[in-house]
Amino acid sequence: MTAPQALPKFRQQLILSVLMVCSVLIWLDNTVLSTTLETLADPVRGLGANPGQLQWATGSYTLAFATLMFTAGALGDRFGHRTVFATGLVVFAAASLWAAYANDAGQLIAARAAMGVGSALITPAMLAILMWTFTGPARAAAIGIFSTSAGVGMAAGPVLAGFLLGHFWWGSVFLINVPVAALALAGLAVLVPNFRSPTRRPLDPAGMLLSISGLVALAYGLIRAGQVAVWTRTDVWAPIVGGLLLLAVFVLVELRVKVPSFDPRLLAQRTFGGGNAALGLLLFAVAAITFYNAFYLQGALGFSPLKAGLANIPTAAGALAGAPLATHLVRRLSLRVVAVPALTVAALTMGGYAVLGLHTSLVWIEILLLIQGLSIGMVIGPVTAALISNLPLDRAGAGSAVTNTVRQTGSVFGIAVGGSILSIVYRQAIEPSLTGVPGPLQEQARVSAEQARHLGQPALVQAADNAFIHAMHVGAVWIAAIALLGAIVLLLTLPAARKEKDLIAPGLGSGGTKIAA
């Protein structure tokens, strides 16, 4: 990157404000859906979506985001980051409007995938513009301010969604994106130069198509298993096998490309590969337990959307406190000494869902969520920053692309596998209570506890709640085991006694390493 022409300080501050608004918008969208899932499952107030459709509504966004983000960075180098950013905002706003007025779950899933495309175009361009706008000490300060947008979005998203769902229809949680995106687009056009890199990175259409098709096929098979509660059906195992084969071909293709958008060779490095594997496993567990949490608070406990949103604030508050706390501790101790116990505690809090029930005090739930957020924040930021910072500068962009892709992929499969475990165990648990229930009502009750609650039979509603709690308990144990596996991977791959001195803003790496993501 060549040194950009210095912009007036006031203009730099305005550009940072535009970028902050966009970042908060992306983080809001990442969190509002979890609060909206219970409403979407409601056949009266929502779309009557089944668990598989809700998994796709969440996963389609993440799949598009994960597989297109590194390509979007190369597009920004070619056509200018403002151009790609503006295109992403238009796509995101149009897709949000589509999602808000979706008539069925299929339309919502497609709209969410389009929103993921918009986010994938926005994110690398946003970070690139940040690095072009600021230089020297001002860049570090801008990164620090910019990083707070994630916490603002995480904390505000569930509460905003709860407020909107309490006063308007479910589509309002997506419609709110449109005026914000329009405001950001205006600021982008007026304030931001069309920065572009003098070195054009090649596009990788073959890698993009292979990664998308492989991940979609694999996710389809895993989610389908939860819908049919059988692993031996052809429409379950065939997509899983096909997806794995496509991903294997993707890796082989990337190994042969001179400048790959996703470089698998980096994962062969012990610390970088192990750290990313642990982050992928952690994000797998976080996505799955967040999926459970949405149905537990609003469905089983009967919280309103706003109350559920407020109940989740301790998770965001803990994550915000955990990242700087861990950074301070790592400077005094070592990354391994801090991150491994923190990830172990995070796993135990996820396993703690196995003791939550229909009558658990809200105080205990809040304590669990606070510790969970704190421990997760103590892992993700410092580990990500250390992994990227330890790469050579000329490999930092490629490393950032790998790290982002692994994390998003972990989230996709966490929703797919965690949701399928929940569905399969729920069906097994509800089955004995369906004896004597009319056939059509049996089928509706088997779909999900949300569907069963609308049948108007108190005994069946109680049975569905109990079946859901049992399924959540079983799933929580598996999720905790996955997170514990991540802690073991960190223990085995991080240096035994090494102080990390150059950690910067959590999750942003060093010197703008996410520009090439």
Side-chain angles (χ1 to χ4, degrees):
M1 178 189 296
T2 59
Q5 183 179 359
L7 297 173
K9 186 175 180 180
F10 181 65
R11 187 176 177 184
Q12 289 179 333
Q13 293 172 341
L14 291 176
I15 291 174
L16 180 59
S17 299
V18 172
L19 298 179
M20 289 280 290
V21 168
C22 293
S23 181
V24 170
L25 178 64
I26 297 298
W27 279 99
L28 280 173
D29 189 69
N30 284 334
T31 54
V32 296
L33 186 62
S34 62
T35 306
T36 314
L37 290 174
E38 177 70 25
T39 302
L40 291 172
D42 192 314
V44 177
R45 296 182 298 132
L47 297 175
N50 63 45
Q53 291 169 329
L54 294 175
Q55 287 169 273
W56 276 115
T58 305
S60 62
Y61 175 95
T62 311
L63 275 170
F65 186 79
T67 53
L68 295 178
M69 189 164 54
F70 47 75
T71 301
L75 290 173
D77 291 342
R78 283 174 174 259
F79 303 108
H81 295 292
R82 186 184 66 184
T83 299
V84 173
F85 198 154
T87 303
L89 280 172
V90 171
V91 172
F92 187 83
S96 297
L97 189 63
W98 183 13
Y101 293 100
N103 293 320
D104 54 44
Q107 289 186 22
L108 177 62
I109 292 167
R112 287 286 297 167
M115 291 172 71
V117 172
S119 295
L121 294 172
I122 291 169
T123 301
M126 180 167 54
L127 293 164
I129 289 170
L130 179 71
M131 303 312 300
W132 279 96
T133 301
F134 295 93
T135 58
R139 178 182 290 173
I143 290 173
I145 296 171
F146 180 78
S147 66
T148 62
S149 61
V152 173
M154 288 173 59
V159 179
L160 176 63
F163 173 81
L164 291 172
L165 291 171
H167 293 80
F168 307 99
W169 95 112
W170 62 265
S172 60
V173 302
F174 300 114
L175 193 62
I176 194 68
N177 295 336
V178 178
V180 178
L183 178 65
L185 191 61
L188 191 69
V190 172
L191 297 168
V192 180
N194 197 22
F195 300 117
R196 70 179 71 196
S197 173
T199 304
R200 293 186 177 184
R201 284 182 291 152
L203 299 177
D204 184 13
M208 183 180 68
L209 291 175
L210 284 168
S211 61
I212 291 175
S213 56
L215 289 173
V216 168
L218 185 54
Y220 175 84
L222 294 170
I223 293 174
R224 185 63 178 160
Q227 293 176 314
V228 300
V230 176
W231 290 94
T232 55
R233 284 179 45 155
T234 305
D235 58 347
V236 172
W237 65 262
I240 292 176
V241 173
L244 291 173
L245 289 175
L246 286 169
L247 292 176
V249 174
F250 165 69
V251 171
L252 293 175
V253 168
E254 295 300 286
L255 288 172
R256 293 175 178 271
V257 175
K258 185 177 181 180
V259 185
S261 53
F262 179 95
D263 192 350
R265 298 174 189 85
L266 291 173
L267 295 175
Q269 300 178 19
R270 178 180 173 181
T271 300
F272 186 83
N276 273 287
L279 287 176
L281 291 169
L282 174 59
L283 269 294
F284 177 108
V286 169
I289 209 68
T290 302
F291 193 75
Y292 288 14
N293 177 71
F295 296 107
Y296 174 63
L297 293 180
Q298 293 185 57
L301 298 187
F303 285 12
S304 69
L306 181 57
K307 185 177 180 179
L310 292 170
N312 279 304
I313 287 180
T315 306
L320 281 172
L325 173 62
T327 300
H328 175 73
L329 291 175
V330 165
R331 289 196 179 105
R332 300 188 60 181
L333 303 170
S334 74
L335 182 61
R336 187 187 191 194
V337 169
V338 174
V340 173
L343 184 44
T344 302
V345 172
L348 294 177
T349 62
M350 294 171 190
Y353 275 70
V355 298
L356 299 181
L358 295 173
H359 306 291
T360 302
S361 169
L362 180 59
V363 173
W364 291 114
I365 297 173
E366 297 298 271
I367 292 173
L368 183 72
L369 293 177
L370 177 63
I371 297 173
Q372 185 178 105
L374 183 68
S375 55
I376 291 170
M378 291 180 69
V379 177
I380 293 178
V383 171
T384 301
L387 294 179
I388 301 300
S389 299
N390 288 335
L391 288 174
L393 187 60
D394 63 342
R395 305 297 291 152
S400 181
V402 170
T403 297
N404 279 311
T405 302
V406 169
R407 286 167 57 170
Q408 296 296 330
T409 302
S411 297
V412 170
F413 292 125
I415 295 166
V417 176
S420 290
I421 292 174
L422 188 71
S423 295
I424 291 171
V425 178
Y426 167 80
R427 287 191 180 194
Q428 294 172 345
I430 194 69
E431 197 62 39
S433 303
L434 298 181
T435 304
V437 177
L441 298 185
Q442 284 190 18
E443 289 304 315
Q444 187 172 343
R446 287 191 185 101
V447 170
S448 68
E450 287 67 39
Q451 298 284 339
R453 293 186 188 107
H454 289 275
L455 295 178
Q457 297 190 14
L460 191 55
V461 171
Q462 183 64 44
D465 285 340
N466 291 333
F468 169 81
I469 293 296
H470 173 68
M472 183 181 74
H473 289 171
V474 173
V477 172
W478 283 103
I479 293 168
I482 293 295
L484 280 174
L485 179 59
I488 294 171
V489 171
L490 275 186
L491 179 66
L492 295 176
T493 57
L494 289 182
R498 178 180 177 183
K499 291 186 178 181
E500 308 291 342
K501 296 182 179 180
D502 298 321
L503 294 178
I504 61 168
L508 285 174
S510 62
T513 57
K514 278 193 180 178
I515 291 175

